[in-house]
Amino acid sequence: IGGLVLCLKTATFCPTLVMTHICVSCQLPITCFILEIILIILFGTLVQYDHETDAKQWHNQSHEDYENDFYFRYPSFQDVHVMIFIGFGFLMTFLQRYGFSSVGFNFLIAAFALQWATLMQGFFHGLHGGKIHIGVESMINADFCTGSVLISFGAVLGKTSPVQLLVMAMFEVTLFAVNEFILLSILGTRDAGGSMTIHTFGAYFGLMVTRVLYRPNLDKSKHRNCSVYHSDLFAMIGTIYLWMFWPSFNSAITAHGDDQHRTAMNTYYSLAACTLSTYGMSALTAHDGKLDMVHIQNAALAGGVAVGTAGEMMLTPFGSMIVGFLAGVISVLGFKYLSPILEDKLKIQDTCGVHNLHGMPGVLGAIVGAVTAALASTDVYGGGLSDVFPDVASGDVTATKQGGIQAASLAVTLGIALLGGLIVGFILKLPIFGAPPDTICFEDSIYWEVSCEIIILYILYFFQSDLQQTHHHTQLSARWIKTT
Amino acid sequence: IGGLVLCLKTATFCPTLVMTHICVSCQLPITCFILEIILIILFGTLVQYDHETDAKQWHNQSHEDYENDFYFRYPSFQDVHVMIFIGFGFLMTFLQRYGFSSVGFNFLIAAFALQWATLMQGFFHGLHGGKIHIGVESMINADFCTGSVLISFGAVLGKTSPVQLLVMAMFEVTLFAVNEFILLSILGTRDAGGSMTIHTFGAYFGLMVTRVLYRPNLDKSKHRNCSVYHSDLFAMIGTIYLWMFWPSFNSAITAHGDDQHRTAMNTYYSLAACTLSTYGMSALTAHDGKLDMVHIQNAALAGGVAVGTAGEMMLTPFGSMIVGFLAGVISVLGFKYLSPILEDKLKIQDTCGVHNLHGMPGVLGAIVGAVTAALASTDVYGGGLSDVFPDVASGDVTATKQGGIQAASLAVTLGIALLGGLIVGFILKLPIFGAPPDTICFEDSIYWEVSCEIIILYILYFFQSDLQQTHHHTQLSARWIKTT
Amino acid sequence: IGGLVLCLKTATFCPTLVMTHICVSCQLPITCFILEIILIILFGTLVQYDHETDAKQWHNQSHEDYENDFYFRYPSFQDVHVMIFIGFGFLMTFLQRYGFSSVGFNFLIAAFALQWATLMQGFFHGLHGGKIHIGVESMINADFCTGSVLISFGAVLGKTSPVQLLVMAMFEVTLFAVNEFILLSILGTRDAGGSMTIHTFGAYFGLMVTRVLYRPNLDKSKHRNCSVYHSDLFAMIGTIYLWMFWPSFNSAITAHGDDQHRTAMNTYYSLAACTLSTYGMSALTAHDGKLDMVHIQNAALAGGVAVGTAGEMMLTPFGSMIVGFLAGVISVLGFKYLSPILEDKLKIQDTCGVHNLHGMPGVLGAIVGAVTAALASTDVYGGGLSDVFPDVASGDVTATKQGGIQAASLAVTLGIALLGGLIVGFILKLPIFGAPPDTICFEDSIYWEVSCEIIILYILYFFQSDLQQTHHHTQLSARWIKTT
């Protein structure tokens, strides 16, 4: 009952909080307007339609309409889009009093990041006469980069202001584009579903940021850092959408034809196997055999992360299921045993457990990708080798060397993520960005107009039942009326 | 606390309400059955498969299967379908006690309107030997027309019976088809995403209806015309789906190939820019820098409305972002400053603020479309000019004249919408349709079997705490038991 | 008030329940691990990429990328996937205290069933050199088979342990594949949307299982077998997704081109007509003309079930609407009048009313399919006859005979479903599977870690109000503190 009392008592802060954060009233609007105006100017000077979206260029060439890349990728793009905005957004609504911020800040930083990512990725992926050319593939890539930022958001969830998040997104998108450029363009790494570029990068970047932003007194908000019945159901909306559309995520930018088809199918079976191992491990490790919603909401998705690199390869459904099975196991173990250690020993306060969902499964995915690449041969891939491993098909590298490149890419990604997170973490520590105090983390009402009726009911209740035992009814009831 | 008290007190009406609306028990079934039987008879006499859905006709011609329009448009159709049923439906669940009606009446009138729209649009778009030919494009158009009806539903939300809504849908669909016929077929207007035909028409029609249905004593239901924490989260499901799939909405019926591709991309960037300006304006205008859920839920979507006409044109991402940015700004300003004026001075009670989300951004979209059309040239569009502006490409009109036609179309749309809304409003005022009394607007329990447990808890609570201060505990508690 | 009191009182069991179900702690993990390991081994030995997902085979042949079946079926597959995981999962969250289990067990058994179905269907649909070949079509078929299992889950919802459900899924998938093989491969039945194979089979199998598992004392959990306001809104998410994507469900595996197009459109109009008849019947039959959420959530979907067989045929929109209209009528009548009889007289406790949504409309769909098949002719279908009725087109059977085959298939399906359900029901009765006791059915907290704050509030409240009337305040309040 102590926890409950604490939980209810803190709700009384609600009215007083209203007063404390005036600063936000100028910071957030200024940040939004400046960022968007910069984006608009840069788009005006740098961005052009590519040859599939430009009316003149498309009609200058001889095509059939159905050859436009739109029809190969747009359904996948929309699935990815749902994962970014509904999937990530609602997955984080599990917190009882942070639903508006989870969905709302997810919405804000994703809308910013996808525009900024268009510019950064366009800049690194090659300019065309000084211009960035965009189409459905660049839109998918922008959403992918945004996904990485949202993973980092999961690590710092509840402890950062929207201005901090926008600043983090700005730096992280830039570093993401640098890392992606090094991997895909310089090293020739294959990573269509982003086990390394998206998940490993986003997770370790976010973990380092949250390490730098360590709050020794976060316990003061601990009672709010938990779920209630309906908030867990909202979170399941996010989980299920991520789970269903992960095949589209991993296959969205693979080569047309058999590659997209195979990638989607490998991911489908990996996720199915992961779900069974997650349920098994959750019941095995949890208190008296009960299932834990935290595991189901997160670990069941690890199978998608872990075939992000190898999904487009000839991993076979058999291989995909083994990888998915292992991903579920290590993810639940991470939630159960590793997360408390990370928090206690390494001072990493990882709100959503992104290390367990994106970090470790991402590393697993990178390793699986390296091994699968090293085993590639014309015997298995036939004429399709040039789609999956163009450098191997052209004879520039051997399959073994490609495997080595894949492994080296993991190290590069970890290095850039950790170093970048360290620097960005210190930038975010600057007091000007208005981080919430330790006592009111995981709380919507400092950033949002929140109707207080339910909280009030709780408070009233608590006080009253308390009073009736202590026979001080009149005074306390009066106090409540005063504070409202 | 006065508001809270009011809020809780009104819940006591619940049991008595049960008795008052017997009339509905015959009206709604009769209306549903008669309408559906008429629809079935008309479909039986008038509607045929088109050449892409008819087994014989499709196989009579020489095609490849992938040339069937189904594969070009069905994914977009399903996205539009989600916007109509989940997007509009859940967007309106923000009201604390009107969630069943928001989703449920949305479902009912949309299911009716899409059938009726198939007939009306088929009739005006050209009969084939006295028959209406249907396929995926007509399904999208029917959903579009339905969207317009749902926009009007947003204006009168909480204040109308389902029978009134069905009657409104019947007339509005008809007038929508007339207006669409005048614009697209007679004037040669371009409006693929429906800034004028869907959004401007739906909004001003609905505003005029709600003006005619003005309730001077709506204050009596004011305490229910607000959101609670979880109802706002449900509404965010609607918002995010509308936001994500708006690129599909605007591109669903544009020409195959680069047109669909370009339209989707323009909308994507317009919405992203709109989101940042919405967050900025919300924090700037709201009380002490906090964000207001009403703005986020609605204004962030204005960017999609505002590129409804120009989205298929060579607006460029740069132009799209400027339009989106402005749409977000005017939409938030509308919610903050214009809506109260409309209600106080013009007696327009606009429950969902459709004037801010669909009305003003729709007009903006029409103007942007007119300007963009006036600037069209073969130099920019190349061979694609005939897809976007067939009349200009054929030399029938100049680009400047096309711009003028677009502007004139806005005037026509406003005229038909306002005049139509006026007439339909007076029809809906007829007492036979069973409008709810002023005291029980925004309330599910007069139309739905609602489990009362939560309300009962509130009532109990209120009375009890009240009692304990007034020392009349026993009597009042007894009264509660009696009324249940 | 008696019901309310009961409802609140039972919540006190919560703490004591924690102790009773230790057994689950070993059963569920062992079941999950063993099943998944068996699946992985069988996939390793039996499953291969088909020629459209295998890199070598696809590139060995001369194709254009857009001819890959992925682009014809993947958007439909994802819609079906959403129906299985979000649609079925959330449809069942209407129970007030069973939301975690509804979504969570749906997730678990679906993830298992789709893997097992791949093997069973692959085995029966024809091996290729001893191997099962898989691609997007087999994924859709696996999801279809899973749907059948989830229908049966609806019948036993709240009364079975997850281990029981996994065992049921294992047997049901096997029998589904046998029935499907007899119908599609031996008899040559047409049933693209599964009125017989999926809906009729799943419903009658589940009804027989729940009959065998009859609980005479289920009344002890009756107070939890009802919805609350927000749980009904969550359920509407499931309903609307099922409704929207049913056109994709019925058209997912029909022939390319006009067939997919026509099937989707027939389903669209059938569902629209069904929605109006459902609202009409609900208001007509329910208490004082109010709408009942149970009808809206379920009966409005019957139109999709009822055109599952005939949807791909030249049913015409007119025919589809008549079928949809009738399906809505019989489904609401079933909920209102037949379900109580089934429960009282036949001892069939059908939690979700699957007999009304899947059973009767499935039989209706089978009959409509038989009649429509019997009327088929080259005159109507032209060259498309070979797509829809290959056996009729090749002259192997007459159209009339095809109609007879369709009717016989219904009888076969009913026979296998009822006999299978009988046997599987007795297997599930074995005490080793840990079925919940009669007193704690429809309750999440025996399988899930559930935060108890809201329940506690209710208990507190009830006791207190109770006390204040009986003047035993101090003792009872103390009792509450002790049990927490």
Side-chain angles (χ1 to χ4, degrees), chain A residues 229 260 266 279 290 461 468, chain C residues 49 71 104 444-445 453 464:
Chain A
Y229 195 71
Q260 284 195 285
N266 285 339
Y279 273 80
K290 291 191 182 181
Y461 201 84
Q468 287 165 348
Chain C
Y49 292 123
Y71 302 106
D444 273 339
S445 65
E453 80 286 4
Q464 193 181 8

Side-chain angles (χ1 to χ4, degrees), chain A residues 4-214:
Chain A
L4 180 74
V5 167
L6 199 63
C7 195
L8 295 172
K9 250 178 186 162
T10 55
T12 57
F13 285 108
C14 177
T16 60
L17 301 188
V18 177
M19 310 303 156
T20 57
H21 275 259
I22 308 293
C23 46
V24 183
S25 67
C26 46
Q27 275 190 1
L28 183 58
I30 290 172
T31 311
C32 287
F33 290 136
I34 289 180
L35 288 177
E36 189 58 46
I37 289 166
I38 291 173
L39 285 169
I40 290 176
I41 293 169
L42 290 173
F43 265 74
T45 51
L46 288 172
V47 174
Q48 282 182 342
Y49 292 124
D50 71 9
H51 72 282
E52 299 192 302
T53 41
D54 187 274
K56 192 174 185 179
Q57 289 187 55
W58 177 257
H59 285 271
N60 265 351
Q61 296 171 291
S62 162
H63 309 276
E64 294 297 330
D65 282 332
Y66 47 75
E67 295 181 76
N68 194 296
D69 201 27
F70 183 76
Y71 302 105
F72 290 94
R73 304 210 186 275
Y74 189 70
S76 304
F77 161 72
Q78 276 297 2
D79 292 350
V80 172
H81 218 40
V82 171
M83 292 174 73
I84 297 297
F85 287 89
I86 288 283
F88 281 106
F90 277 88
L91 182 59
M92 296 188 278
T93 57
F94 71 95
L95 291 170
Q96 55 176 322
R97 292 293 299 168
Y98 209 62
F100 289 7
S101 302
S102 296
V103 176
F105 295 164
N106 187 83
F107 189 18
L108 172 63
I109 61 178
F112 165 69
L114 65 86
Q115 296 176 78
W116 184 236
T118 304
L119 294 171
M120 287 295 108
Q121 294 181 317
F123 183 75
F124 282 111
H125 287 187
L127 300 171
H128 305 257
K131 297 287 185 182
I132 294 164
H133 284 190
I134 59 175
V136 69
E137 194 170 335
S138 75
M139 286 159 69
I140 295 171
N141 277 315
D143 268 36
F144 277 2
C145 178
T146 300
S148 193
V149 175
L150 299 177
I151 292 166
S152 304
F153 176 35
V156 299
L157 187 74
K159 302 171 294 180
T160 40
S161 71
V163 176
Q164 280 182 302
L165 293 171
L166 285 169
V167 172
M168 185 183 83
M170 191 176 64
F171 286 108
E172 185 170 356
V173 164
T174 312
L175 289 166
F176 177 98
V178 170
N179 182 57
E180 192 185 39
F181 173 69
I182 294 173
L183 264 58
L184 307 192
S185 303
I186 297 182
L187 296 177
T189 315
R190 303 300 297 176
D191 193 18
S195 287
M196 288 177 279
T197 54
I198 301 167
H199 299 288
T200 306
F201 182 85
Y204 287 96
F205 183 94
L207 290 168
M208 189 51 101
V209 169
T210 198
R211 172 66 191 82
V212 176
L213 298 180
Y214 178 66

Side-chain angles (χ1 to χ4, degrees), chain A residues 36 40 44 49 53-56 68 71 74 78 99 104 115 118 136 143 241 444-445 447 449 453 464, chain B residues 228-229 241 244 248 257-258 260-262 266 268-269 273 279 287 290-291 314 316 318 321 379 461 468:
Chain A
E36 189 58 46
I40 290 176
Y49 292 124
T53 41
D54 187 274
K56 192 174 185 179
N68 194 296
Y71 302 105
Y74 189 70
Q78 276 297 2
Q115 296 176 78
T118 304
V136 69
D143 268 36
Y241 270 103
D444 271 341
S445 65
Y447 300 116
E449 303 279 354
E453 78 287 2
Q464 193 181 7
Chain B
V228 292
Y229 195 72
Y241 270 102
M244 293 186 304
S248 303
D258 62 304
Q260 284 195 285
H261 201 160
R262 181 173 58 249
N266 285 340
Y268 173 80
Y269 285 110
Y279 273 81
H287 175 58
K290 291 191 184 181
L291 295 162
M314 290 290 285
T316 75
F318 172 62
M321 288 161 74
D379 202 39
Y461 201 84
Q468 286 165 349

Side-chain angles (χ1 to χ4, degrees), chain B residues 9-47:
Chain B
K9 249 177 185 163
T10 56
T12 57
F13 284 108
C14 177
T16 59
L17 301 189
V18 177
M19 310 305 158
T20 57
H21 275 258
I22 308 294
C23 45
V24 183
S25 67
C26 46
Q27 275 191 1
L28 183 58
I30 290 172
T31 312
C32 286
F33 290 135
I34 290 180
L35 288 177
E36 189 58 44
I37 288 165
I38 292 172
L39 284 169
I40 290 176
I41 293 169
L42 290 174
F43 265 74
T45 50
L46 288 173
V47 173

Side-chain angles (χ1 to χ4, degrees), chain A residues 228-229 241 244 248 257-258 260-262 266 268-269 273 279 287 290-291 314 316 318 321 379 461 468, chain C residues 36 40 44 49 53-56 59 68 71 74 78 99 104 115 118 136 143 241 444-445 447 449 453 464:
Chain A
V228 293
Y229 195 71
Y241 270 103
M244 293 185 303
S248 303
D258 63 304
Q260 284 195 285
H261 200 158
R262 182 172 58 248
N266 285 339
Y268 174 80
Y269 285 110
Y279 273 80
H287 176 59
K290 291 191 182 181
L291 295 162
M314 289 291 286
T316 75
F318 172 61
M321 287 161 74
D379 203 39
Y461 201 84
Q468 287 165 348
Chain C
E36 188 58 45
I40 290 176
Y49 292 123
T53 42
D54 186 275
K56 192 174 184 178
H59 287 271
N68 194 295
Y71 302 106
Y74 189 70
Q78 276 297 2
Q115 296 176 78
T118 304
V136 68
D143 268 36
Y241 270 103
D444 273 339
S445 65
Y447 300 117
E449 303 278 355
E453 80 286 4
Q464 193 181 8

Side-chain angles (χ1 to χ4, degrees), chain C residues 289-419:
Chain C
K290 291 191 184 183
L291 295 162
D292 189 330
M293 262 289 160
V294 172
H295 303 158
I296 307 307
Q297 283 161 7
N298 291 280
L301 302 169
V305 175
V307 296
T309 302
E312 68 171 328
M313 305 172 189
M314 290 291 285
L315 183 60
T316 75
F318 171 62
S320 305
M321 286 160 75
I322 292 174
V323 174
F325 187 87
L326 292 176
V329 171
I330 62 168
S331 188
V332 173
L333 290 176
F335 275 102
K336 188 74 187 176
Y337 303 108
L338 193 56
S339 281
I341 294 172
L342 288 183
E343 180 151 357
D344 293 345
K345 309 289 177 199
L346 300 183
K347 299 184 177 175
I348 295 171
Q349 294 159 327
D350 178 5
T351 311
C352 293
V354 301
H355 187 245
N356 310 307
L357 168 49
H358 301 280
M360 292 190 296
V363 171
L364 173 64
I367 295 166
V368 171
V371 174
T372 315
L375 298 173
S377 69
T378 315
D379 203 39
V380 173
Y381 290 80
L385 190 64
S386 59
D387 280 347
V388 186
F389 298 108
D391 293 350
V392 178
S394 69
D396 286 356
V397 298
T398 62
T400 321
K401 176 115 189 277
Q402 180 73 33
I405 289 169
Q406 300 286 133
S409 300
L410 174 61
V412 171
T413 302
L414 284 170
I416 295 178
L418 291 171
L419 189 63

Side-chain angles (χ1 to χ4, degrees), chain A residues 3-4 6-8 10-11 92-100 102 157 221-232 234 441-444 450 454-455 458, chain B residues 229-230 233, chain C residues 451 453-454:
Chain A
L4 180 74
L6 199 63
C7 195
L8 295 172
T10 55
M92 296 188 278
T93 57
F94 71 95
L95 291 170
Q96 55 176 322
R97 292 293 299 168
Y98 209 62
F100 289 7
S102 296
L157 187 74
S221 292
K222 199 179 182 179
H223 48 281
R224 256 186 257 105
N225 187 3
C226 59
S227 64
V228 293
Y229 195 71
H230 277 154
S231 72
D232 266 327
F234 278 111
C441 287
F442 313 113
E443 173 61 50
D444 271 341
V450 174
I454 288 172
I455 292 192
Y458 286 3
Chain B
Y229 195 72
H230 277 154
L233 271 183
Chain C
S451 56
E453 80 286 4
I454 288 172

